[in-house]
Amino acid sequence: MKNILLTLIILIVNSCRFEQNNEVDLCATFDEIDAKIMALMDEIQVKHKERPSFS
């Protein structure tokens, strides 16, 4: 999961460098997506901690 997140961050940084002249603000779009991913990851961690273990 961390590798996927790291890959997404690398793609965001590279696209922001090369797409600066584009009319669409890709950096802002990727920032929004990144924030949503981080929020979902936090939500999953909270749900996982609350669930009782059956071991």
Side-chain angles (χ1 to χ4, degrees), residues 8-47:
L8 286 173
I9 291 171
I10 290 170
L11 288 173
I12 290 168
V13 170
N14 285 332
S15 67
C16 289
R17 280 192 213 146
F18 296 116
E19 298 290 336
Q20 288 179 352
N21 295 329
N22 196 349
E23 291 179 16
V24 177
D25 190 5
L26 291 178
C27 293
T29 303
F30 284 129
D31 286 341
E32 289 175 20
I33 294 170
D34 185 48
K36 289 178 184 179
I37 290 171
M38 294 300 291
L40 287 172
M41 288 176 61
D42 290 341
E43 186 177 325
I44 290 169
Q45 287 178 346
V46 168
K47 285 183 180 180

